[in-house]
């Protein structure tokens, strides 16, 4: 693999180039130079040893919020030839244990504070970073110093076997919800993530003067690629905070380290708009929003308060995740003949990525301006779903990934998303599966085995969250308030539970002649009542 596509090698070299200057910091007070990051990674590798890291390609769980120790852990695992699988600590223990079983994870690296905070019961051996501190010996420290700072970089690369990495070797597995609620593991390779990193470098033109504000969790592909690997394998520094919904701490961190780049969701930006002081974001030069539709009114308000206008991008976990982005005007010269930004769109495809629109009926390619299914082809397309070739073959055909998003392309190649065909909602940046909610409702109503469908889930646009879940139902034996209580008792995440005022009784559930649900009619009914 060439240096351009070997982001592990790029990371090592960038840390050496950074030297005694800060490379990462966090709101807990950690601050590491390039040398220190490498030294700690070497020491942690030695402490974890063969019992945890074991053989090449072993999947190792990581359950840590964004912070300096999480960065060190990620690279200690990845640069040992293993696969760091970041677990979603906002999910239930049951869901996480499904992920652990599917990925055959034997060890999960975490901290005592994290486990106390999230109150999870995991079916794996837990390795607490807190307990490893007392095991560091003088030899560990000397090895860290030698390999991290003193040894020629070529020696370190040889020791770690970095040059033996192949483009299609697995770098990570990121879990996303399936339509039935069963977790799907998205397998992403070194090539996948590297292509995104290079595309981000081209689009945003990051330099060593940039400081990326990392508030997105690493179990999301957006956080994993853009706030973890991008700053580590390119020139910028990065500063981390564990919770994207704590604006006061984030504002202080941005001010202290003069953050220049912020990546988040519109939901997060609204929170910062209300709670972050103007001077704390004074150095922001680039703000990119994804995961939800970016309203023009939010862009206007953010620009008015902080002096920088957010731009919108688009991606999915299966695409590593970045597909397209509007180019920040502060980084790309304005060219009327070749515009880099078109508001209302999610931008043009990034470097080496192609987009096309095909008919929803027969899959034939459609011309400019016509609406259909958005498909993507490029080096960012995932390797597939873990142990699910059947599901992989349904979404990837001849190299083209079917996004499930309905869209059109304009004459300049900008992508405009108009809706979603698949049965998910994007709420606060999370993918919420309608079918799982319907099945749980059927369970609490004790009508799982009945032929009559009493309740279905659809969604309407929501200014604050992106989308709002709506339950269309015929006559029910329980009140909505009781149903929501029982959904919570069944273990559904709060994000998956419709509010009591989001239930709408209808004479009958809309069904097509084929027997399938009439999704369009469902959405229309919900929109007529709630919009």
């Amino acid at each position: 693999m060439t240096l351009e596509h070997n982001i592990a090698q790029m990371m090592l070299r960038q840390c050496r180039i950074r030297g005694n200057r800060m490379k990462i910091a966090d709101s807990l007070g950690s601050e590491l130079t390039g040398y220190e990051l490498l030294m700690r990674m070497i020491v942690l590798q030695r402490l974890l040893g063969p019992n945890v890291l074991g053989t090449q390609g072993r999947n190792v769980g990581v359950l840590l919020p964004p912070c300096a120790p999480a960065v060190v852990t990620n690279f200690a695992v990845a640069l040992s030839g293993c696969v760091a699988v970041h677990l979603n600590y906002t999910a239930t223990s049951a869901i996480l244990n499904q992920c652990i079983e599917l990925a055959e994870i034997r060890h999960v690296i975490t901290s005592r504070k994290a486990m106390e905070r999230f109150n999870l019961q995991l079916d794996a051996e837990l390795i607490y970073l807190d307990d490893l501190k007392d095991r560091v010996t003088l030899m560990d420290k000397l090895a860290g110093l030698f390999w991290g700072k003193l040894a020629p970089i070529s020696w370190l690369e040889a020791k770690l076997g970095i040059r033996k990495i192949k483009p299609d070797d697995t770098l990570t597995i990121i879990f996303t919800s399936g339509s039935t609620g069963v977790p799907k593991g998205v397998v992403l390779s070194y090539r996948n993530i590297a292509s995104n990193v290079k595309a981000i470098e081209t689009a945003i033109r990051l330099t060593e003067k940039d400081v990326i504000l990392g508030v997105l969790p690493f179990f999301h592909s957006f956080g994993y690629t853009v706030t973890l690997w991008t700053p580590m394998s390119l020139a910028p520094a990065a500063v981390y905070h564990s919770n994207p919904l704590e604006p006061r701490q984030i504002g202080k961190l941005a001010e202290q380290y003069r953050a220049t780049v912020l990546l988040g969701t519109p939901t997060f930006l609204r929170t910062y708009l209300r709670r972050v002081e103007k001077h704390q974001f004074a150095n922001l030069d680039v703000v990119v929003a994804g995961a939800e539709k970016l309203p023009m009114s939010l862009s206007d308000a953010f620009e008015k308060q902080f002096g920088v206008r957010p731009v919108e991008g688009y991606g999915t976990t299966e695409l590593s995740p970045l597909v397209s982005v509007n180019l920040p005007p502060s980084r790309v010269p304005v060219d009327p003949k070749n515009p880099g930004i078109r508001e209302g769109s999610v931008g043009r495809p990034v470097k080496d990525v192609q987009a096309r629109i095909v008919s929803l009926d027969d899959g034939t390619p459609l011309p400019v301006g016509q609406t259909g299914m958005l498909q993507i082809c490029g080096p960012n397309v995932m390797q597939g779903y873990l142990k699910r070739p059947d599901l992989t073959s349904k979404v990837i055909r001849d190299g083209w990934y079917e996004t499930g998003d309905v869209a059109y392309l304009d004459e300049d190649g900008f992508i405009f998303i108009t809706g979603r065909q698949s049965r998910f909602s994007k709420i606060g940046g999370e993918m919420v599966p309608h079918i799982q909610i319907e099945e749980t409702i059927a369970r609490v109503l004790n009508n799982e085995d009945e032929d009559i469908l009493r309740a279905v889930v659809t969604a309407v646009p929501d200014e604050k969250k992106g989308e709002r879940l709506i339950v269309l139902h015929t006559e029910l034996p329980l009140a909505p308030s009781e149903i929501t209580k029982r959904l919570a008792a069944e273990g559904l995440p709060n994000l998956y539970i419709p509010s009591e005022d989001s239930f709408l009784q209808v004479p009958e559930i809309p069904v097509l002649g084929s027997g399938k649900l009439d999704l369009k009619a469902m959405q229309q009914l919900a929109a007529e009542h709630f919009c």
Side-chain angles (χ1 to χ4, degrees):
M1 189 178 349
T2 63
L3 176 60
E4 183 182 24
H5 293 98
N6 191 332
I7 52 176
Q9 191 176 16
M10 289 167 61
M11 188 280 289
L12 294 178
R13 296 191 176 197
Q14 285 296 339
C15 285
R16 280 291 183 87
I17 291 171
R18 198 77 182 185
N20 287 317
R21 293 174 296 155
M22 188 204 80
K23 184 63 174 173
I24 64 170
D26 63 28
S27 54
L28 299 175
S30 295
E31 195 171 293
L32 301 179
T33 67
Y35 288 145
E36 289 170 336
L37 178 56
L38 287 182
M39 288 189 285
R40 293 203 181 189
M41 182 269 290
I42 297 293
V43 171
L44 183 57
Q45 276 186 309
R46 291 170 62 91
L47 294 175
L48 293 174
N51 290 333
V52 177
L53 298 180
T55 57
Q56 187 91 2
R58 175 183 289 181
N59 296 332
V60 179
V62 180
L63 195 147
L64 293 165
C67 59
V71 176
V72 174
T73 299
N74 187 85
F75 294 124
V77 174
L79 296 179
S80 297
C82 296
V83 179
V85 183
H86 292 272
L87 300 175
N88 183 349
Y89 40 77
T90 67
T92 64
S93 296
I95 291 175
L96 289 184
N97 286 327
Q98 284 182 302
C99 299
I100 288 170
E101 181 180 5
L102 184 62
E104 299 180 23
I105 292 171
R106 291 165 50 189
H107 298 90
V108 174
I109 302 172
T110 184
S111 69
R112 294 192 179 278
K113 185 176 181 180
M115 291 305 294
E116 289 171 5
R117 175 180 173 185
F118 302 124
N119 191 29
L120 297 167
Q121 302 296 321
L122 303 182
D123 297 336
E125 182 180 345
L126 302 182
I127 307 297
Y128 294 106
L129 293 178
D130 325 52
D131 298 346
L132 297 180
K133 292 180 181 179
D134 296 333
R135 291 171 45 191
V136 178
T137 66
L138 178 60
M139 285 304 297
D140 291 327
K141 293 178 181 179
L142 290 175
L145 175 63
F146 177 74
W147 290 108
K149 185 175 183 179
L150 303 177
I153 191 68
S154 59
W155 291 14
L156 178 59
E157 291 171 353
K159 169 183 168 57
L160 296 172
I162 296 301
R163 296 180 184 179
K164 296 180 181 179
I165 295 173
K166 298 175 182 177
D168 290 331
D169 285 348
T170 300
L171 178 56
T172 192
I173 299 167
I174 296 180
F175 282 94
T176 181
S177 296
S179 60
T180 63
V182 177
K184 292 185 294 185
V186 177
V187 180
L188 299 176
S189 68
Y190 279 83
R191 188 202 310 273
N192 291 148
I193 303 299
S195 70
N196 250 218
V197 169
K198 297 302 292 184
I200 293 166
E201 182 180 35
T202 301
I204 301 182
R205 305 188 181 186
L206 298 165
T207 74
E208 63 178 11
K209 295 180 180 179
D210 280 313
V211 177
I212 296 178
L213 191 57
V215 298
L216 301 171
F218 297 154
F219 60 72
H220 279 183
S221 55
F222 199 12
Y224 181 81
T225 298
V226 185
T227 65
L228 177 62
W229 275 101
T230 295
M232 293 304 102
S233 52
L234 298 178
V239 294
Y240 297 97
H241 182 66
S242 60
N243 187 341
L245 291 174
E246 293 180 345
R248 297 190 189 282
Q249 293 90 326
I250 290 169
K252 292 177 182 177
L253 193 66
E255 181 181 14
Q256 180 181 355
Y257 291 100
R258 303 173 67 85
T260 60
V261 180
L262 170 64
L263 305 118
T265 70
T267 296
F268 300 160
L269 298 190
R270 287 189 188 92
T271 304
Y272 307 153
L273 193 60
R274 295 192 299 267
R275 302 286 181 83
V276 174
E277 300 294 331
K278 181 178 181 179
H279 69 274
Q280 293 178 318
F281 276 178
N283 292 289
L284 279 186
D285 184 57
V286 175
V287 178
V288 180
E292 310 164 29
K293 180 65 179 173
L294 176 63
M296 195 83 70
S297 58
L298 177 58
S299 295
D300 292 341
F302 201 93
E303 182 180 27
K304 181 179 180 181
Q305 179 157 329
F306 298 116
V308 55
R309 190 171 185 82
V311 297
E312 188 170 3
Y314 167 78
T316 72
T317 302
E318 289 86 347
L319 296 171
S320 306
L322 187 62
V323 170
S324 61
V325 67
N326 283 289
L327 304 182
S330 62
R331 300 297 174 104
V332 181
V334 176
D335 182 356
K337 295 182 180 179
N338 185 27
I341 183 170
R342 185 153 294 164
E343 292 200 341
S345 79
V346 293
R348 286 188 292 197
V350 296
K351 179 179 170 59
D352 297 328
V353 172
Q354 296 176 276
R356 71 178 183 184
I357 305 297
V358 300
S359 169
L360 295 173
D361 297 322
D362 57 18
T364 57
L366 297 176
V368 167
Q370 288 197 22
T371 299
M373 175 60 61
L374 174 63
Q375 294 184 340
I376 301 296
C377 181
N380 59 332
V381 176
M382 67 172 176
Q383 302 299 290
Y385 292 118
L386 181 65
K387 300 178 182 178
R388 294 302 304 266
D390 55 329
L391 296 180
T392 302
S393 63
K394 289 182 180 180
V395 296
I396 301 178
R397 300 182 183 89
D398 299 322
W400 288 90
Y401 171 74
E402 188 164 292
T403 65
D405 285 309
V406 180
Y408 68 89
L409 298 175
D410 73 5
E411 64 279 2
D412 291 318
F414 286 89
I415 302 171
F416 289 79
I417 306 293
T418 60
R420 288 195 60 79
Q421 186 189 55
S422 58
R423 304 217 47 217
F424 286 84
S425 286
K426 278 190 177 180
I427 302 176
E430 292 273 352
M431 297 298 291
V432 177
H434 293 179
I435 293 177
Q436 183 182 2
I437 301 169
E438 289 172 355
E439 290 176 343
T440 310
I441 291 175
R443 192 155 58 244
V444 303
L445 295 177
N446 294 316
N447 76 319
E448 292 176 275
D449 299 324
E450 294 180 13
D451 294 331
I452 300 174
L453 190 62
R454 295 189 183 182
V456 294
V457 176
T458 184
V460 296
D462 184 275
E463 180 70 13
K464 293 183 178 180
K465 295 182 179 180
E467 290 186 271
R468 173 187 177 186
L469 295 172
I470 303 297
V471 178
L472 301 180
H473 61 87
T474 55
E475 187 173 352
L476 299 176
L478 299 174
S481 58
E482 182 61 26
I483 292 174
T484 58
K485 288 180 184 178
R486 296 193 183 189
L487 292 178
E490 287 284 329
L492 277 187
N494 289 335
L495 208 60
Y496 289 26
I497 301 176
S499 59
E500 296 177 18
D501 60 353
S502 295
F503 285 68
L504 175 64
Q505 184 166 340
V506 294
E508 59 183 9
I509 303 297
V511 177
L512 296 170
S514 62
K516 295 181 180 180
L517 289 175
D518 189 340
L519 302 181
K520 185 175 181 180
M522 287 164 49
Q523 290 177 334
Q524 287 176 340
L525 283 170
E528 288 170 4
H529 189 84
F530 293 99
C531 293

